[in-house]
Amino acid sequence: MNNGLPPLPSPGGYEQAHAVSHDLAFEKLRKADLADVALKSGATRVGADLVRLSFLNRDYLVDRLLGQVILHSDTDKELVPIAERLLILHYLVTASGAPPGGDLIAFKELPDGRLYDSTFYKRTVKLLLKKFGDSPAKLTIAAAKIGGIPVKMGDAAVTVRAFPRVAVTLVLWQGDDEFPAEGSVLLDRGIADYLPTEDIVVLCQTIALKL
């Protein structure tokens, strides 16, 4: 989905590209009807230029006037990483308000998904297998801290509500003497109405890293 934003760079040092994407997202947000943005994204408007948004089981405040994304808790002074700030901003300016597509698909079925599929596999599925391949049951325990809910798929699976209208399902199958452990990441077909494909790579990697 083309939302007028440049592709979200991978975390790891592209400071200038991050800064450009960050500024452009805030520019789009300042021009938008904030009430409409909140309605479409599931955020809560808490001021003339301020919305509160849930991301991976934590609340964030986005101040479009000051150009800030901060954690909602007054006692938590943790700096929000730039990649996460960009995901939050891109979600807000991309969200169309469209209902869920109703079925789960693999990443490669998304627009341009096949172009990024090998990168997606390395950054998400391989990371999940490294962490939980020997013991898939540990996935459900680890995912609880970011709001993951167990679902009946594979040998272990969870659905993580990343944003109010974006969920990611992680599925693992334990290996045996004949076959290695395997995993899959499933997404609602309508996720492209809320995030560009490049951002979905970073989102799923962020989830895998937080587990």
Side-chain angles (χ1 to χ4, degrees):
M1 180 178 181
N2 184 3
N3 63 354
L5 295 168
L8 180 63
S10 303
Y14 299 110
E15 290 87 357
Q16 185 175 359
H18 278 144
V20 170
S21 189
H22 188 272
D23 291 346
L24 182 56
F26 265 116
E27 181 182 339
K28 290 175 70 69
L29 194 58
R30 291 186 186 106
K31 292 178 179 178
D33 180 334
L34 201 58
D36 187 57
V37 169
L39 179 66
K40 290 178 177 177
S41 66
T44 301
R45 189 176 180 184
V46 293
D49 293 287
L50 193 67
V51 294
R52 184 176 70 244
L53 179 70
S54 175
F55 172 57
L56 293 177
N57 210 33
R58 303 178 81 179
D59 284 346
Y60 294 79
L61 292 175
V62 181
D63 189 324
R64 68 176 181 178
L65 191 61
L66 297 179
Q68 293 181 341
V69 179
I70 61 174
L71 281 158
H72 180 50
S73 171
D74 291 334
T75 60
D76 197 338
K77 303 302 180 183
E78 177 185 338
L79 179 66
V80 181
I82 182 65
E84 295 182 24
R85 277 182 273 154
L86 288 171
L87 284 172
I88 289 168
L89 291 169
H90 286 183
Y91 172 78
L92 288 172
V93 300
T94 303
S96 71
D103 58 322
L104 297 179
I105 60 172
F107 175 84
K108 64 183 178 182
E109 296 179 64
L110 295 173
D112 296 326
R114 292 187 183 277
L115 295 176
Y116 300 97
D117 193 45
S118 61
T119 298
F120 180 82
Y121 186 87
K122 290 175 185 177
R123 291 185 181 180
T124 58
V125 178
K126 286 192 73 172
L127 183 54
L128 291 170
L129 291 173
K130 182 178 180 180
K131 287 186 172 185
F132 307 109
D134 292 337
S135 184
K138 292 181 179 179
L139 172 65
T140 58
I141 299 171
K145 64 185 178 182
I146 56 172
I149 299 173
V151 292
K152 293 183 178 180
M153 299 177 71
D155 290 315
V158 293
T159 293
V160 176
R161 180 132 332 251
F163 289 107
R165 296 185 178 161
V166 168
V168 176
T169 297
L170 314 173
V171 188
L172 292 176
W173 291 268
Q174 189 161 8
D176 56 28
D177 293 338
E178 293 187 58
F179 300 101
E182 191 53 271
S184 180
V185 177
L186 301 176
L187 308 155
D188 186 271
R189 187 176 295 278
I191 193 174
D193 290 315
Y194 291 90
L195 283 171
T197 301
E198 299 94 333
D199 293 59
I200 296 169
V201 177
V202 180
L203 172 64
C204 295
Q205 180 185 26
T206 298
I207 292 172
L209 288 170
K210 286 181 178 293
L211 293 174

